[in-house]
Amino acid sequence: MVYLQLNQLDKALEFILKSIEEFKKLYGDNMHNYIEVSRAYLNLGAIYYMQKVLDKSAEYCNEGLKISIKLLGESHPDITVCYNNLASVYVEQNKLDDALTYYYKSQNLIYEHLGVDHPDLVSCYNNIGHVKIRLK
C-alpha cells in the first residue's frame, strides 16, 4: 500500500502480485475464504485503474467484490468500497449504466447502515450526478 500511496505503481503491482502468490501457497484452494485476499484483489484493481488498464481493473475489482460478499455478506457496509471502485472503472470504460447500478447499490448500503448524514452518501450523490450528466 505504501508504494500505491507514493504513486509508484510498478512497485505496488510487484508486491501485490507477490502477496497473491503467497496467499495461493498458504491457503491453496481455500484462499478465497480470507478477507485479506479480497483486499489484495481490490488493491490490484486500483493499481490497474490508475494505470488505465481498465479490463484488468474491472476483473480484479469484481473478484474482490465476490470474495467480500461471500465473507461479509451483501449488506455489509464495507461492500460499498467494492461497489464504488467497480463503478469508477465502469465510468472510465463508458459503461455508464453499469456504473450507475453500482453507485446506487453503494448509496443504498450507506443509507441503510451509515445513515442519511454520512459524508460518503454525499460522495455517492455526486458520483451519480456526474454519471447522469454524461448520460444526457
Side-chain angles (χ1 to χ4, degrees), residues 21-81:
E21 286 304 312
E22 289 302 313
F23 286 132
K24 286 178 185 174
K25 287 179 195 174
L26 283 170
Y27 303 131
D29 291 339
N30 293 318
M31 73 180 258
H32 291 92
N33 292 328
Y34 296 89
I35 199 65
E36 296 86 3
V37 175
S38 172
R39 290 186 186 116
Y41 283 135
L42 293 170
N43 288 335
L44 200 51
I47 292 166
Y48 283 127
Y49 176 82
M50 292 166 74
Q51 292 178 329
K52 302 295 183 201
V53 184
L54 299 175
D55 287 339
K56 280 190 175 186
S57 179
E59 174 186 343
Y60 287 106
C61 286
N62 268 307
E63 191 62 32
L65 173 62
K66 279 191 245 176
I67 295 169
S68 293
I69 288 173
K70 174 184 172 187
L71 299 176
L72 302 174
E74 247 181 308
S75 63
H76 194 281
D78 287 354
I79 301 298
T80 62
V81 174

Side-chain angles (χ1 to χ4, degrees), residues 74-76 80 83 105-113:
E74 247 181 308
S75 63
H76 194 281
T80 62
Y83 288 154
K105 285 182 176 200
S106 179
Q107 173 193 344
N108 291 337
L109 278 180
I110 293 167
Y111 182 81
E112 181 180 328
H113 293 284

